[in-house]
Amino acid sequence: MTDQVTDTDPAMEPDIPGKPTSASRTTLSHIMTHNDTNLLGTVHGGVIMKLVDDAAGAVAGRHSGGPAVTASMDEMVFLEPVRVGDLVHVKAQVNWTGRTSMEIGVRVLAERWNESDPATQVGSAYLVFTAVDADGKPRRVPPVVAETDRDRRRYQEAQIRRTHRLARRRAIRELREKRAAEGFQD
């Protein structure tokens, strides 16, 4: 018999000490080149999404102390186009933690590489990551400890987004079950 904790008996799980938001916060920066462009000559949204996922993954791994995988991406918003020559900064932090999952908030900023003007926010996203063990099974994550009023607001907003994600998933499942019961094949 092993000392492995199972999902079926949460009372047997040891407490994991919390980690402050600042412990895993990170910024990735990248200069956009012609290789990153779309047919309109601006940076392809998929390139930005990859940078967002990379930054969020680094934060999730840092916070959880090991591997974490992307479970979902919500609300990816593109506010302004990014151009060749822009220096893009992708800032990410843990907003909320559950038992095995974490919501990571990401802001994308861009500035001209050769100018001293302040960076402009060009996008934002929320991603959910699940921490996994060596077998790819979900594993517990430390609670996030909000350090500022802004961190506390982000935590509360993340709880609202989680509630909406779960309600949407449940409503879709119920609709599919109802349609299947009525004989519809999708």
Side-chain angles (χ1 to χ4, degrees):
M1 176 158 202
T2 67
D3 293 325
Q4 183 176 4
V5 176
T6 66
D7 287 341
T8 58
D9 192 357
M12 296 292 293
E13 295 178 356
D15 287 336
I16 297 177
K19 282 188 178 178
T21 305
S22 62
S24 56
R25 189 177 289 140
T26 194
T27 300
L28 297 180
S29 298
H30 187 78
I31 294 178
M32 298 292 110
T33 69
H34 71 280
N35 291 330
D36 301 317
T37 60
N38 59 26
L39 296 174
L40 298 175
T42 56
V43 173
H44 195 286
V47 170
I48 301 299
M49 291 173 75
K50 168 102 170 65
L51 294 172
V52 164
D53 191 50
D54 287 347
V59 167
R62 279 182 175 180
H63 184 81
S64 69
V69 296
T70 311
S72 70
M73 177 185 268
D74 303 346
E75 300 181 37
M76 180 71 211
V77 177
F78 297 100
L79 302 168
E80 299 282 335
V82 177
R83 301 170 291 163
V84 170
D86 281 354
L87 178 58
V88 173
H89 306 285
V90 184
K91 297 176 177 276
Q93 75 169 52
V94 176
N95 289 337
W96 173 89
T97 54
R99 190 172 137 353
T100 62
S101 63
M102 304 156 274
E103 183 195 88
I104 313 298
V106 182
R107 286 186 329 131
V108 183
L109 305 152
E111 62 180 307
R112 295 305 292 169
W113 67 272
N114 60 348
E115 297 176 6
S116 59
D117 292 336
T120 302
Q121 185 171 348
V122 296
S124 65
Y126 299 101
L127 296 88
V128 176
F129 276 75
T130 300
V132 294
D133 64 17
D135 297 321
K137 304 289 185 210
R139 63 181 172 79
R140 290 198 50 212
V141 299
V144 64
V145 178
E147 299 173 285
T148 66
D149 285 338
R150 178 180 279 181
D151 292 341
R152 284 182 277 285
R153 176 188 54 80
R154 287 179 176 161
Y155 185 90
Q156 291 170 333
E157 290 173 357
Q159 287 179 304
I160 293 167
R161 283 187 293 274
R162 180 177 187 271
T163 299
H164 286 234
R165 277 191 296 271
L166 294 174
R168 182 178 60 237
R169 190 177 305 148
R170 186 174 45 255
I172 290 169
R173 185 181 63 244
E174 289 170 359
L175 176 63
R176 288 179 179 173
E177 289 170 357
K178 179 182 176 206
R179 288 183 52 82
E182 293 171 351
F184 291 100
Q185 299 229 359
D186 291 331

